[in-house]
Amino acid sequence: MKVIADLTIIPIGVGVSLSRYIAACEAVLDRPGLETSLHPNGTNIEGEWDLVFRAIRECHEKIHAMGAPRIHTNIKLGTRVDREQTMEDKVASVRGRLQGG
Amino acid sequence: MKVIADLTIIPIGVGVSLSRYIAACEAVLDRPGLETSLHPNGTNIEGEWDLVFRAIRECHEKIHAMGAPRIHTNIKLGTRVDREQTMEDKVASVRGRLQGG
Amino acid sequence: MKVIADLTIIPIGVGVSLSRYIAACEAVLDRPGLETSLHPNGTNIEGEWDLVFRAIRECHEKIHAMGAPRIHTNIKLGTRVDREQTMEDKVASVRGRLQGG
Amino acid sequence: MKVIADLTIIPIGVGVSLSRYIAACEAVLDRPGLETSLHPNGTNIEGEWDLVFRAIRECHEKIHAMGAPRIHTNIKLGTRVDREQTMEDKVASVRGRLQGG
């Protein structure tokens, strides 16, 4: 089952600057089978369910190993069985409506 | 790695009443190793990471099998490595602050 | 427009224990026109849209005033125009399906 | 108080294709004082708190007026008082870590 997800990871107890933890997670997500796209409030991820959630688990393990005692994460995700759809399709579908007026 | 999560599942394309799909997911989550608690905007789940996410995947599979072509899900989750903490501990910790003024 | 929401507030840069900040937000939310219910991953809130979001803004202001330099918040919310529904109705609707199942 | 938010709106009870509702919300968000950026799982929004939440309320009103009886929305948001930060700054901060790696 394919999933299109949006991942936001907030390490807790490591001060106010979180970018080095987010970058470490980006490095974990950069693997065959996953397509990712960083945005200002998270990272969009496209891939097979098990690959996506194994990678998210490894992000948690990595960030704890870097010293974060606690992590809060938010995942939005969608699955569909009626048709194939990529991340680009989703954005193009809305943009087409906007241009079509 | 233990996780405390909050799951909200929104079947799309099956009309406006979603309770029978949510109830089916509750039945899927009712298994050894998971503690769950239904609330007005989701279901809190406590358990080992792999058990939690396998059950959430089975909720998606179940709800698609019931006829939902598309599902949107939101998962909030926390992990911590500094100490053990249950769902009850989290609520008690805030309540203690409120009573302590 | 009435809203049923679920609020999770994560102060960033104040260490690993967040309960005193969450308790301060609970105190802010305890006002006429809002019904609230604390759970392990957030607080459910029921009330008129403007009252709900004004109170959430005041939570942010309060927690910043307590010393948190940065806050991450997640809000899930639902509105509906087809019929009246309370937080209790939502839980009862799923529970009814489980028992009837 | 400035906020950087990520908005996901799911109209319920209008079938499986949601793009025309999302496009209508994009049109509502396109106003002075807000910077927005559509992505595969939502729309990032930067602006003053009251402007952002007034626009989100108007999205709900618009989508209900288009015929959706029920809406589920997820909002992730951040505020900070230690320094100014734009949406571009957030992405650049993580990208800098990755390249510096």
Side-chain angles (χ1 to χ4, degrees), chain A residues 23-57:
Chain A
C25 178
E26 291 297 300
V28 167
L29 296 173
D30 182 14
R31 60 177 60 181
L34 298 187
E35 187 182 349
T36 65
S37 168
L38 180 69
H39 68 84
N41 288 295
T43 301
N44 289 301
I45 310 171
E46 181 177 334
E48 283 297 314
W49 182 290
D50 289 346
L51 280 182
V52 169
F53 285 99
R54 188 182 314 150
I56 293 174
R57 180 184 168 145

Side-chain angles (χ1 to χ4, degrees), chain B residues 50-69:
Chain B
D50 288 346
L51 280 182
V52 169
F53 285 99
R54 189 182 312 152
I56 293 173
R57 180 183 168 146
E58 290 178 25
C59 281
H60 271 246
E61 290 167 343
K62 176 71 178 171
I63 291 169
H64 281 310
M66 291 169 74

Side-chain angles (χ1 to χ4, degrees), chain A residues 5-6 8 39 41 44 76, chain D residues 5-6 8 19 39 41 44 76:
Chain A
D6 182 28
T8 301
H39 68 84
N41 288 295
N44 289 301
K76 295 186 288 196
Chain D
D6 182 28
T8 301
S19 58
H39 67 86
N41 287 295
N44 289 300
K76 296 186 287 196

